[in-house]
Amino acid sequence: MSESLERYEAEKQENYQARFNKLQISLEEDDIKGFREDFLDMHTYEQASFFREQPVELRRWIYGYLSPAEFAEIIESMDFEETLEYFTEMDPQYSGAIMTELPVDDAVDILSLLEKDEVASFLTLMDQESAEEIKLLLNYEEKTAGSIMTTEFIALYDTQTVEQVMKLLKEEAPDAEMIYYLYVVDEAKKIVGVLSIRDLIVSDYDALIKDVMSEWVITVSAGKNQEEVAQLFMDYDFLAVPVVDFQNHLIGIITVDDILDVVDEEASEDYSKLAGVADGEHHTDTPFEAAKKRLPWLIILLFLGLFTASLIGQFEETLEQVAVLAIFIPLIAGMAGNTGTQSLAVAVRGLATGNFGKQGKFKWLLRELGTGMITGGVSGVILAIVIFIWQQNLVLGLLVGVSIFASLIVATIAGAFIPILMDRLKIDPAVASGPFITTLNDITSILIYFGMATSFMSYLV
Amino acid sequence: MSESLERYEAEKQENYQARFNKLQISLEEDDIKGFREDFLDMHTYEQASFFREQPVELRRWIYGYLSPAEFAEIIESMDFEETLEYFTEMDPQYSGAIMTELPVDDAVDILSLLEKDEVASFLTLMDQESAEEIKLLLNYEEKTAGSIMTTEFIALYDTQTVEQVMKLLKEEAPDAEMIYYLYVVDEAKKIVGVLSIRDLIVSDYDALIKDVMSEWVITVSAGKNQEEVAQLFMDYDFLAVPVVDFQNHLIGIITVDDILDVVDEEASEDYSKLAGVADGEHHTDTPFEAAKKRLPWLIILLFLGLFTASLIGQFEETLEQVAVLAIFIPLIAGMAGNTGTQSLAVAVRGLATGNFGKQGKFKWLLRELGTGMITGGVSGVILAIVIFIWQQNLVLGLLVGVSIFASLIVATIAGAFIPILMDRLKIDPAVASGPFITTLNDITSILIYFGMATSFMSYLV
């Protein structure tokens, strides 16, 4: 960062601080009017930052200062896990009213974090119409288009005129989540077209919607996986897509801001799985919480490691005769583990972006066989030569070289095959996480190495 | 996927195929009018899919059928690396005209893939005004707000009325990249406010912009890192943000569709680095290309592995006396490697999302020390007990247990410290990739293990 950029950022920071200090004073002096004036002038994200810094007593005052609709906007900008604590602090009527004011997709996300009976009691506190909509949405499976869509959208009929629609927008725009794309339906509520606000603005006021809309609408069905929906947004640069049921009825829309969260969430999940960390680990966790989340994997690995140890134990006689064999264990296991992780990562990314076709997966495995033969061949030849020169032992060099050749081929194919198999079994391929593949490849590579060493023992001693 | 969802998707697929077949016939029969009618009716993403399937001769025909403006829209929806091939097939005048028609941010992205002299020759083929804008943007460093912004935006003055702005939009909407947020500037072009189309639509026609706009605008400076800009979009649910220079002059805007690509690109980069795969690896690469991209890491690891081997070699005497020591090498190295990857992953995610403050980093290392002590302690005790029972050797059990305890502490701290150090040195912390940390921790854990074994040798034999 250049110095002037740093200064610029620092000035912006001071600006924030001054605003916050002024607000803090109004709040502590119980100056409702002054507080509301400054507070409501800020973006909801800043409102949330300020609110979050307050102790529980002052948070309770803030609930009293703001209408449920005003507070709902703050909730919207928060991480929903975080909001659960605040809901418990509120008067039940107030929290029910907030739930009613929230965009339905957000209300559903929050409710899906709660136990069934808590959800039921929330629903009784809410406006009946909203409660019905939410019940409907709660039925969609997690991580599908249905679960991230909102039902607050504006639908038009193709027989309306541009002018009528502009008037309609004037009335409905404040409530709808997305007004930049408008979806057009026929009398049976089946989707027949789409038009953007841009199309609307550049059209004559008396033109018919049917003449200015595009009939070529991309829709997603409610059961579609959210990751595939995200891919669609990236391919088409959409700001929203309509969600339809099997009869092509428009039942909701998904907006780009939710997709941004999906992309971030899915990427972070894949990343965590590759590293063998529970996705829920947060930097504010205490050491105990963090350890509790990491230990399950470590204990699985511990027992896999003991299994590997018992396998090597089978070769103890070999080891006692040729102790030098032991020094290459980390090299062979490490390289096999890393090769497997490489091919795993490429396969998981490929599956996530839907880049393989049906035949593509078999072709992919063949390609990985080729890649493994090349990386294994190159590494094997280098190792054989280096070890021959270093240890003055041709047989040992050949043994390690050939073991690496075979191990890298097996590891490369395993790294590609396992996620593809999991995908076929409809399990998220990212579950075949890094530590698992690494340990699996540790074991096979050591078996190859010691198996060969034992067979050629007579040449080694 | 339920059966009806599969049928629904299959029907959609057939629909596409029918369209494509019809187009293919028009193209092969050189039926320009029929081709244009069907082709231009499709979304540009489908246009690109169709175009991509054609052999080079037919692609040349398509260039002849479409205006540069029409083809520019197809280019926009493609992966820019891919487009380089097509540009070389075109008549230079045609490619220059396409470059002129492209949104400037996209043109800049494509040109930044080329060599300097190629860029210069492209710029001479372009409309002068566009060429100047592009030259300006090419000056911004890669991965900064400046490099992903577009200069095609609509700026308003605060003294205009809503009606005037609606008229202006009617004229300018077709060219501007984003019309959903409008930024308001004063006479000196400094940014003073923002309003959304939504605000505009619900306002009276004769209201003044200054009265309907919000004065609280979030801006980013042109030098800001694109990852931080993406975080801002996620926090605030923006569709666009204005980019300003140090004097707060509005110089461009960044739109959410580009941010979606940034989030995806950065996540995929971090993921690839964790797995030690070059980011450029693509599923269409041949085995040779894939191997070429993976081998650099593998060869580094190979020599690090040889170094580890030579370290263990120092303890050959110890090994010869107590061969059973060798069987726990993979377990100790593997667990240390995985623990390090876990804390690395959490630290890299934390740094990427800017979740640590300045003091936060030191507190973070302390937390990781605590986490390492707990995970190490638990794993150490389990191992000591299991090995004592299995091998009937208390000293061996204690040796492995204590080694794991010490190794996991070191590995956990190393995994957290190295990315933080890199961040401080202004290096992307994700560069401290998985294989590197894993191998480093292999080495330290083995040194701890054999160092302790050698010291307590007299109790082991």
Side-chain angles (χ1 to χ4, degrees):
Chain A
M1 249 197 302
S2 71
E3 207 187 310
S4 51
L5 178 53
E6 268 174 13
R7 199 173 52 228
Y8 170 86
E9 299 271 341
E11 271 170 26
K12 259 170 77 168
Q13 200 55 46
E14 271 170 38
N15 229 312
Y16 275 88
Q17 210 44 59
R19 268 169 179 268
F20 272 31
N21 291 344
K22 187 157 168 247
L23 263 178
Q24 192 74 44
I25 293 169
S26 317
L27 182 60
E28 281 162 14
E29 290 179 348
D30 200 8
D31 168 14
I32 301 195
K33 194 162 161 284
F35 178 83
R36 282 181 56 85
E37 207 161 277
D38 292 331
F39 190 75
L40 295 176
D41 196 35
M42 299 194 302
H43 192 283
T44 49
Y45 177 73
E46 268 91 23
Q47 295 176 357
S49 307
F50 178 81
F51 169 79
R52 199 178 281 128
E53 286 177 8
Q54 305 307 315
V56 57
E57 315 83 62
L58 291 180
R59 288 207 296 266
R60 287 224 170 88
W61 289 21
I62 295 178
Y63 303 140
Y65 290 0
L66 300 175
S67 74
E70 284 159 353
F71 202 81
E73 289 194 29
I74 303 177
I75 294 282
E76 258 185 83
S77 77
M78 288 180 170
D79 182 18
F80 294 147
E81 296 251 357
E82 176 195 356
T83 65
L84 298 184
E85 184 189 344
Y86 308 137
F87 277 112
T88 59
E89 299 165 2
M90 297 172 193
D91 177 272
Q93 298 300 332
Y94 188 75
S95 62
I98 285 176
M99 227 23 120
T100 307
E101 294 289 345
L102 281 174
V104 271
D105 52 340
D106 292 341
V108 168
D109 286 347
I110 292 174
L111 290 176
S112 62
L113 297 172
L114 300 175
E115 300 295 321
K116 272 201 174 159
D117 53 329
E118 292 174 302
V119 174
S121 69
F122 250 118
L123 289 174
T124 59
L125 290 167
M126 292 177 62
D127 162 285
Q128 183 146 15
E129 196 188 332
S130 307
E132 288 304 322
E133 266 179 57
I134 286 174
K135 269 187 220 157
L136 213 75
L137 287 174
L138 279 171
N139 288 329
Y140 290 104
E141 246 180 287
E142 247 195 296
K143 304 200 167 191
T144 61
S147 73
I148 54 169
M149 74 184 184
T150 174
T151 50
E152 287 152 328
F153 57 89
I154 301 178
L156 312 174
Y157 293 102
D158 57 357
T159 49
Q160 288 175 296
T161 64
V162 169
E163 193 172 4
Q164 284 172 322
V165 171
M166 289 297 269
K167 273 205 188 120
L168 179 85
L169 279 184
K170 250 190 168 35
E171 288 155 27
E172 295 202 11
D175 285 329
E177 181 152 348
M178 161 63 72
I179 64 161
Y180 304 124
Y181 289 139
L182 304 166
Y183 299 101
V184 187
V185 293
D186 62 15
E187 312 86 70
K189 299 263 178 207
K190 290 194 183 187
I191 191 160
V192 294
V194 59
L195 85 167
S196 66
I197 284 262
R198 190 191 290 253
D199 298 328
L200 207 61
I201 284 176
V202 301
S203 301
D204 288 331
Y205 277 174
D206 49 2
L208 280 177
I209 293 302
K210 108 170 66 173
D211 299 322
V212 294
M213 74 182 191
S214 158
E215 285 168 34
W216 183 227
V217 202
I218 309 272
T219 60
V220 300
S221 56
K224 201 173 187 83
N225 184 292
Q226 65 175 10
E227 213 166 349
E228 291 172 52
V229 179
Q231 194 57 45
L232 209 63
F233 272 83
M234 284 190 260
D235 288 342
Y236 288 89
D237 287 350
F238 284 140
L239 295 180
V241 293
V243 182
V244 294
D245 63 14
F246 298 129
Q247 282 79 44
N248 225 18
H249 295 123
L250 179 60
I251 54 173
I253 65 168
I254 296 173
T255 52
V256 70
D257 54 313
D258 296 319
I259 289 298
L260 212 49
D261 296 335
V262 168
V263 172
D264 189 52
E265 178 192 319
E266 294 277 348
S268 152
E269 255 182 53
D270 289 355
Y271 187 82
S272 301
K273 278 177 190 143
L274 188 64
V277 197
D279 197 43
E281 186 172 336
H282 202 261
H283 73 289
T284 56
D285 284 347
T286 64
F288 286 96
E289 288 167 331
K292 208 175 130 195
K293 287 171 186 167
R294 292 186 198 173
L295 270 171
W297 251 125
L298 288 176
I299 291 177
I300 294 172
L301 291 178
L302 189 155
F303 283 99
L304 284 172
L306 281 170
F307 176 66
T308 315
S310 75
L311 284 180
I312 305 180
Q314 305 296 313
F315 299 102
E316 205 172 330
E317 217 176 297
T318 311
L319 263 172
E320 268 164 14
Q321 289 176 45
V322 199
V324 71
L325 283 178
I327 73 175
F328 297 105
I329 294 177
L331 187 155
I332 291 175
M335 287 196 64
N338 276 301
T339 306
T341 309
Q342 288 182 327
S343 73
L344 169 79
V346 181
V348 169
R349 289 313 286 179
L351 288 166
T353 52
N355 271 334
F356 305 126
K358 284 221 162 163
Q359 289 178 308
K361 284 172 198 163
F362 183 70
K363 255 175 71 188
W364 174 251
L365 288 177
L366 274 183
R367 193 206 91 164
E368 287 299 273
L369 174 65
T371 309
M373 287 175 72
I374 300 168
T375 54
V378 173
S379 307
V381 169
I382 297 179
L383 268 179
I385 294 173
V386 173
I387 292 173
F388 170 54
I389 296 171
W390 172 29
Q391 297 275 332
Q392 297 291 320
N393 184 338
L394 181 63
V395 180
L396 185 66
L398 286 176
L399 175 71
V400 176
V402 175
S403 297
I404 275 287
F405 176 65
S407 298
L408 293 204
I409 294 176
V410 174
T412 306
I413 293 187
F417 178 72
I418 290 176
I420 288 176
L421 179 73
M422 289 182 132
D423 187 56
R424 173 62 60 94
L425 301 174
K426 313 268 183 214
I427 304 171
D428 179 1
V431 172
S433 60
F436 176 71
I437 294 276
T438 305
T439 308
L440 188 79
N441 284 327
D442 275 5
I443 296 174
T444 51
S445 63
I446 284 166
L447 281 180
I448 292 172
Y449 177 52
F450 278 104
M452 289 190 39
T454 309
S455 313
F456 296 99
M457 190 52 122
S458 49
Y459 304 97
L460 274 167
V461 277
Chain B
M1 247 193 310
S2 70
E3 207 188 311
S4 50
L5 178 53
E6 266 174 14
R7 199 173 54 229
Y8 169 86
E9 299 271 343
E11 270 170 29
K12 258 170 75 168
Q13 200 55 45
E14 269 171 40
N15 227 312
Y16 275 88
Q17 210 44 58
R19 269 169 179 269
F20 272 30
N21 291 344
K22 189 160 167 245
L23 263 178
Q24 192 74 45
I25 294 168
S26 317
L27 181 60
E28 280 161 16
E29 288 178 351
D30 201 8
D31 168 12
I32 300 193
K33 195 161 161 284
F35 178 83
R36 282 182 54 86
E37 206 162 278
D38 293 330
F39 190 76
L40 294 177
D41 196 34
M42 298 194 305
H43 191 282
T44 50
Y45 176 76
E46 268 90 24
Q47 294 176 357
S49 307
F50 178 81
F51 168 80
R52 199 177 280 129
E53 285 176 8
Q54 305 306 317
V56 56
E57 315 83 61
L58 290 180
R59 290 207 296 264
R60 287 224 169 85
W61 288 22
I62 295 179
Y63 305 139
Y65 289 1
L66 300 175
S67 73
E70 285 158 354
F71 202 81
E73 289 194 29
I74 303 177
I75 294 280
E76 258 183 83
S77 77
M78 288 180 170
D79 182 17
F80 295 145
E81 296 252 355
E82 176 194 358
T83 65
L84 299 182
E85 183 188 345
Y86 307 137
F87 277 112
T88 59
E89 298 166 3
M90 297 171 191
D91 179 90
Q93 298 299 334
Y94 188 75
S95 61
I98 286 177
M99 229 18 122
T100 306
E101 295 288 346
L102 280 174
V104 271
D105 53 339
D106 292 340
V108 168
D109 285 346
I110 293 174
L111 290 175
S112 62
L113 298 172
L114 299 175
E115 300 294 321
K116 272 202 172 159
D117 53 330
E118 290 174 301
V119 174
S121 69
F122 250 118
L123 289 174
T124 58
L125 289 167
M126 292 177 61
D127 163 283
Q128 184 146 14
E129 196 188 332
S130 308
E132 289 303 321
E133 264 179 57
I134 285 174
K135 268 186 221 160
L136 212 76
L137 286 175
L138 278 171
N139 288 328
Y140 290 104
E141 247 180 287
E142 246 195 297
K143 305 201 166 187
T144 61
S147 74
I148 55 171
M149 74 183 183
T150 175
T151 49
E152 286 152 329
F153 57 87
I154 301 179
L156 312 174
Y157 292 102
D158 56 357
T159 49
Q160 288 175 297
T161 64
V162 169
E163 193 172 9
Q164 283 171 325
V165 171
M166 288 298 270
K167 272 201 188 125
L168 179 86
L169 280 183
K170 249 190 170 34
E171 288 155 29
E172 295 202 11
D175 285 329
E177 183 152 345
M178 160 63 72
I179 63 160
Y180 305 124
Y181 288 140
L182 304 166
Y183 299 101
V184 187
V185 293
D186 62 15
E187 312 88 69
K189 299 264 177 205
K190 291 194 183 187
I191 190 158
V192 294
V194 58
L195 84 168
S196 66
I197 284 262
R198 189 191 290 251
D199 298 328
L200 208 60
I201 284 176
V202 301
S203 301
D204 288 331
Y205 277 173
D206 47 3
L208 281 177
I209 293 301
K210 113 171 58 175
D211 299 323
V212 294
M213 75 183 192
S214 158
E215 284 168 36
W216 182 228
V217 201
I218 310 271
T219 59
V220 299
S221 57
K224 203 177 186 78
N225 184 292
Q226 65 174 10
E227 214 166 346
E228 292 172 50
V229 180
Q231 194 56 46
L232 209 63
F233 273 82
M234 283 189 262
D235 288 341
Y236 289 88
D237 286 353
F238 284 140
L239 296 179
V241 292
V243 183
V244 294
D245 63 14
F246 298 129
Q247 282 78 44
N248 225 18
H249 295 125
L250 179 60
I251 55 175
I253 65 168
I254 297 174
T255 53
V256 69
D257 54 314
D258 296 320
I259 289 298
L260 212 48
D261 296 334
V262 167
V263 173
D264 190 51
E265 180 191 319
E266 295 277 347
S268 152
E269 255 182 54
D270 289 354
Y271 188 82
S272 300
K273 278 177 191 145
L274 188 64
V277 197
D279 196 44
E281 185 171 337
H282 201 258
H283 73 289
T284 55
D285 284 346
T286 64
F288 286 96
E289 289 167 329
K292 209 175 128 195
K293 287 172 186 167
R294 292 184 198 175
L295 270 171
W297 249 125
L298 288 175
I299 290 176
I300 294 173
L301 290 178
L302 189 155
F303 283 99
L304 283 173
L306 281 170
F307 176 67
T308 314
S310 76
L311 284 179
I312 306 181
Q314 305 297 314
F315 300 101
E316 206 172 328
E317 215 175 298
T318 312
L319 266 172
E320 269 164 13
Q321 290 176 42
V322 197
V324 72
L325 283 178
I327 73 176
F328 297 105
I329 295 177
L331 186 155
I332 290 174
M335 286 196 64
N338 275 302
T339 306
T341 309
Q342 288 181 327
S343 73
L344 168 79
V346 182
V348 168
R349 289 313 288 179
L351 288 166
T353 52
N355 270 334
F356 305 126
K358 285 219 162 165
Q359 289 177 309
K361 284 172 197 163
F362 183 70
K363 254 175 71 188
W364 175 252
L365 288 177
L366 273 183
R367 192 206 93 163
E368 287 299 272
L369 173 65
T371 310
M373 286 175 71
I374 300 168
T375 54
V378 173
S379 307
V381 169
I382 297 178
L383 269 178
I385 296 172
V386 173
I387 292 174
F388 170 54
I389 296 171
W390 174 28
Q391 296 277 333
Q392 296 290 318
N393 184 339
L394 181 62
V395 180
L396 184 66
L398 286 177
L399 175 71
V400 176
V402 174
S403 297
I404 275 287
F405 176 64
S407 299
L408 293 205
I409 293 175
V410 174
T412 306
I413 292 186
F417 178 71
I418 290 176
I420 287 177
L421 178 73
M422 290 184 130
D423 187 57
R424 172 62 60 93
L425 300 174
K426 313 267 182 215
I427 304 171
D428 179 0
V431 171
S433 57
F436 176 70
I437 293 276
T438 304
T439 309
L440 189 78
N441 284 327
D442 276 5
I443 295 175
T444 51
S445 63
I446 284 166
L447 281 181
I448 291 172
Y449 177 52
F450 278 105
M452 289 191 37
T454 309
S455 313
F456 296 99
M457 190 53 125
S458 50
Y459 304 99
L460 275 167
V461 278

